[in-house]
């Protein structure tokens, strides 16, 4: 079965640079979620989108922004990167009103 | 607010031992409960779920029962294998918002 696709899988950036992470949900899923997992930590919710509109917002820094496009894929844009942004970033998708979220493999971001 | 508390690890067991990982939750509504598993270097995989009181989720020999009276969702397996070594996250989702709230995770080591 098709799963959530994230790209790139690994990303290395310097401090103050910009990064863009992409997420392609499971076909026919209309809701996308972003989570950040720091080293040895549990995943923390950042933001979610339903039908291209932001539906919920968590602990997402102002330096980060995200959007969902007409084909339901989503992008997380991260600017002025800091060392503390080094983490595993997960995207998950679901059908609205179905609470089961299916996670992608994650993008591992390292900020040097 | 909603929260999940699970037993701290690491948990080390011998192959074929019985496994219990405790999980309790706090929620103002009627959440759905999940166990996710993260194998080394990989993403989050949904292991099992339960959406209402007394439901039992099961998958790959793992089971967990939604106990509303004790607000618990303990994970059990009768005979663990080396391949079960991973980090296990208990999680909940409240219908009133989108995000999944995770516990801190329990690292499980199975010795041959």
């Amino acid at each position: 079965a098709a799963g959530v696709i994230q790209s790139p899988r690994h990303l290395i950036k310097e401090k103050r640079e910009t990064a863009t992470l992409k997420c392609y949900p499971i076909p026919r899923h209309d809701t996308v979620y972003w989570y950040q997992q720091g080293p040895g930590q549990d995943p923390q919710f950042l933001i979610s989108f339903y039908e291209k509109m932001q539906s919920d917002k968590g602990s997402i820094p102002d330096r980060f922004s995200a959007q969902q496009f007409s084909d339901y894929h989503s992008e997380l844009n991260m600017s002025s990167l800091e060392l503390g942004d080094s983490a595993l970033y997960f995207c998950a998708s679901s059908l609205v009103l179905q609470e089961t979220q299916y996670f992608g493999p994650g993008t591992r971001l390292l900020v040097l | 607010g909603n929260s999940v508390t699970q037993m701290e690890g690491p948990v080390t067991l011998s192959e074929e031992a019985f496994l219990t990982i405790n999980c309790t939750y706090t929620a103002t509504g009627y959440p759905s409960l999940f166990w996710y598993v993260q194998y080394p270097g990989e993403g989050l995989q949904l292991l099992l779920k339960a959406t209402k009181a007394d439901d039992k989720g099961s998958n790959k020999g793992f089971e967990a029962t939604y106990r509303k009276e004790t607000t618990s969702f303990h994970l059990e397996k009768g005979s663990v294998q080396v391949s079960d070594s991973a980090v296990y996250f208990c999680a909940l989702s409240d219908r009133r918002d989108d995000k999944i709230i995770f516990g801190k995770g329990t690292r499980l080591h199975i010795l041959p």
Side-chain angles (χ1 to χ4, degrees), chain A residues 29-97:
Chain A
H29 280 192
D30 48 20
T31 307
V32 169
Y33 312 80
W34 287 97
Y35 292 82
Q36 177 191 57
Q37 185 181 28
Q41 302 297 312
D42 54 299
Q44 295 291 318
F45 172 74
L46 292 178
I47 195 166
S48 61
F49 292 88
Y50 165 64
E51 288 289 346
K52 302 181 286 295
M53 299 288 289
Q54 180 182 308
S55 56
D56 198 5
K57 191 172 181 180
S59 50
I60 184 169
D62 292 340
R63 300 178 287 108
F64 294 5
S65 65
Q67 61 183 129
Q68 185 180 32
F69 295 86
S70 57
D71 64 351
Y72 296 108
H73 95 272
S74 178
E75 294 183 5
L76 177 66
N77 298 294
M78 310 160 69
S79 62
S80 303
L81 287 169
E82 302 174 355
L83 296 179
D85 296 329
S86 296
L88 190 54
Y89 290 84
F90 287 110
C91 171
S93 74
S94 74
L95 278 171
V96 71
L97 300 182

Side-chain angles (χ1 to χ4, degrees), chain B residues 1-4 25-29 92 94 96-97 99 101:
Chain B
N2 296 342
S3 66
V4 175
Y25 68 90
T26 301
T28 51
L92 70 80
D94 188 325
R96 295 179 298 176
D97 56 43
K99 60 182 179 290
I101 294 173

Side-chain angles (χ1 to χ4, degrees), chain A residues 9 31 33 35 37 40-45 48-50 55-58 88 90 99-106 108, chain B residues 30-32 34 36 38 41-46 49 51 89 93-105 107:
Chain A
R9 294 292 310 277
T31 307
Y33 312 80
Y35 292 82
Q37 185 181 28
Q41 302 297 312
D42 54 299
Q44 295 291 318
F45 172 74
S48 61
F49 292 88
Y50 165 64
S55 56
D56 198 5
K57 191 172 181 180
L88 190 54
F90 287 110
E99 294 164 328
T100 302
Q101 297 181 21
Y102 294 90
F103 283 75
R108 189 171 297 278
Chain B
Y30 298 93
S32 292
F34 308 88
Y36 282 87
Q38 188 173 29
E42 297 187 14
L44 289 165
Q45 296 180 26
L46 178 65
K49 68 175 183 178
T51 58
F89 291 95
S93 175
D94 188 325
R95 282 187 176 81
R96 295 179 298 176
D97 56 43
D98 290 347
K99 60 182 179 290
I100 287 181
I101 294 173
F102 290 88
K104 295 298 183 185
R107 185 174 297 277

Side-chain angles (χ1 to χ4, degrees), chain B residues 12-19 77-85 108-112:
Chain B
T12 302
L13 296 172
S14 297
E15 204 166 24
E16 299 183 5
F18 183 86
L19 168 71
K77 186 175 185 182
S79 177
V80 292
Q81 306 300 313
V82 173
S83 57
D84 292 328
S85 297
L108 176 64
H109 294 291
I110 305 300
L111 304 175

